[in-house]
Amino acid sequence: MLFSEIYSAYYNAVASIIASAQKGSLDPDSLYKIVKESAFPESVVTIGSSLESGKWPLIKKDYTTNIKESPTMPLSLLQKSWLKAICKDKRFRLFADEGVLTRLESQLEDIEPLFTENDFSLYDKYLDGDPYDDEVYVKNFRTILQAVHIKKAVQVDYADRLGQGKRFLCFPFKIEYSEKDDKFRFLAKIHNRRAILNIARIQCCELTEKSGLCQLSEKDLPFSTKASVTLEIYNERKAMERVLLAFAHFEKSAVQISGYKYRLTLSYDSFDETELVIRVLSFGPMVKVIEPESFRNLIRDRISKQIELMK
């Protein structure tokens, strides 16, 4: 395994316990508190008893330790290789500043990437993705990202679909990415209404001191309507695996009906309905829409239009 949530949690919890013992501040109560906060609820029994009984000879009876060096978790060669691959992704620099990039490039200089973009072939991806190498785009993205984190408003100069400029104040809530479109967009509140804006259309933006989203969740945003669709999947040519991958970011539940047939229910934002119809159609006869009837009608209309175009 490349990364293990279980072993990482265990190692980090024990490392924190050893560090506390080195400072002379470890006792039974603090030991169990560290385990509870750093690992899993049931880990108290495993980690706590193993350390106190001496099964793991890291902590002495008086809650001190013979370990002199600070505990660390160095990355494995495989983890470094994965990290090198991530660093080469053109979208990575949107989230990491130049100092972090320079440091990572230096530390991973002799490491071969685990994979490159040439290892992937995406057959249904649009070619007009966001300009990730554009310095203005990168600056605007980081400003929106910072606004999301610190819950501040931004003043935005924005170009609409017709190329006309608009200036407004908005409260960014979260950033989303469409793999099919290869574009980033962000959800925001503008004049008490919900808006979804493409980051590539931002001409410039600046943080302000205005705040107002500290207690706001996505369901509180105006016009945030949810819908669901139920699909029947015939598991031929690994259809189920491909469907789960395509809809990985959607809330969903799946049940197996028979040896090769599955039923999948997806919850989605109504704004994403058109894209969802296109994705469902991309699986052809391997996926059938069961309900609702309104979504089935959208599929029928889309197919009818394609037939007309073919004529």
Side-chain angles (χ1 to χ4, degrees):
M1 295 176 65
L2 181 56
F3 298 103
S4 171
E5 179 183 356
I6 294 176
Y7 287 118
S8 292
Y10 275 31
Y11 290 155
N12 286 325
V14 174
S16 297
I17 292 170
I18 293 173
S20 181
Q22 290 174 334
K23 296 176 183 176
S25 58
L26 186 67
D27 56 37
D29 291 337
S30 61
L31 186 150
Y32 280 88
K33 182 180 179 182
I34 292 171
V35 174
K36 185 177 180 180
E37 293 176 349
S38 304
F40 309 99
E42 65 274 13
S43 303
V44 172
V45 177
T46 304
I47 298 178
S49 61
S50 296
L51 289 171
E52 290 180 326
S53 67
K55 181 180 178 181
W56 296 351
L58 304 171
I59 302 297
K60 297 192 293 186
K61 294 293 184 182
D62 60 355
Y63 291 91
T64 60
T65 180
N66 290 323
I67 299 174
K68 303 300 182 183
E69 300 295 332
S70 298
T72 59
M73 281 187 64
L75 297 177
S76 67
L77 182 60
L78 180 60
Q79 290 173 325
K80 291 179 180 179
S81 182
W82 175 86
L83 188 57
K84 181 67 172 284
I86 297 300
C87 290
K88 284 187 168 294
D89 191 311
K90 55 189 176 182
R91 294 163 294 188
F92 183 75
R93 68 188 300 255
L94 300 176
F95 301 90
D97 59 33
E98 299 305 322
V100 172
L101 288 170
T102 301
R103 186 168 69 253
L104 285 172
E105 288 176 1
S106 175
Q107 294 173 344
L108 301 172
E109 182 178 3
D110 300 326
I111 303 296
E112 289 294 325
L114 187 61
F115 54 84
T116 68
E117 62 178 10
N118 296 327
D119 295 324
F120 300 90
S121 179
L122 302 177
Y123 63 90
D124 60 348
K125 185 175 182 179
Y126 290 104
L127 299 179
D128 60 339
D130 282 355
Y132 302 116
D133 295 327
D134 184 80
E135 294 300 327
V136 174
Y137 175 88
V138 174
K139 180 178 181 296
N140 291 335
F141 184 97
R142 290 177 178 173
T143 300
I144 298 297
L145 184 63
Q146 184 181 5
V148 171
H149 285 317
I150 66 177
K151 296 179 172 54
K152 295 289 186 180
V154 289
Q155 191 74 40
V156 176
D157 289 338
Y158 191 81
D160 62 16
R161 293 179 182 273
L162 301 178
Q164 297 179 344
K166 296 182 178 180
R167 185 175 178 84
F168 51 81
L169 187 76
C170 70
F171 290 93
F173 176 72
K174 73 174 182 178
I175 296 176
E176 296 180 340
Y177 173 73
S178 170
E179 185 175 15
K180 189 180 187 67
D181 296 332
D182 191 25
K183 296 179 184 295
F184 280 96
R185 64 189 187 188
F186 67 98
L187 277 70
K189 183 179 179 182
I190 306 175
H191 301 308
N192 291 323
R193 66 179 180 85
R194 182 175 184 264
I196 300 180
L197 307 169
N198 291 330
I199 294 182
R201 291 184 179 174
I202 298 176
Q203 297 171 327
C204 68
C205 61
E206 297 178 352
L207 277 172
T208 72
E209 291 302 316
K210 295 185 178 181
S211 60
L213 287 176
C214 295
Q215 304 299 324
L216 187 65
S217 63
E218 184 178 2
K219 65 181 180 180
D220 297 320
L221 289 174
F223 311 124
S224 180
T225 58
K226 288 289 184 179
S228 65
V229 59
T230 300
L231 310 173
E232 196 167 84
I233 303 164
Y234 306 97
N235 196 23
E236 297 179 15
R237 301 195 296 272
K238 297 184 178 180
M240 186 62 180
E241 180 181 336
R242 292 188 290 116
V243 168
L244 291 177
L245 183 61
F247 301 120
H249 60 293
F250 288 89
E251 181 183 346
K252 56 190 170 298
S253 62
V255 294
Q256 186 172 7
I257 301 174
S258 65
Y260 72 99
K261 189 185 297 183
Y262 295 81
R263 184 158 292 182
L264 179 70
T265 300
L266 297 171
S267 297
Y268 63 94
D269 193 303
S270 56
F271 181 86
D272 295 321
E273 192 163 66
T274 301
E275 182 176 349
L276 192 62
V277 168
I278 296 172
R279 290 195 187 188
V280 169
L281 282 170
S282 70
F283 291 96
M286 298 298 101
V287 174
K288 177 182 178 182
V289 178
I290 304 300
E291 57 183 7
E293 190 63 28
S294 59
F295 199 95
R296 288 167 59 88
N297 290 334
L298 290 174
I299 294 289
R300 293 191 186 101
D301 292 343
R302 194 88 181 185
I303 293 174
S304 297
K305 290 179 181 178
Q306 289 178 347
I307 293 174
E308 289 298 319
L309 288 174
M310 291 173 65
K311 289 180 180 180

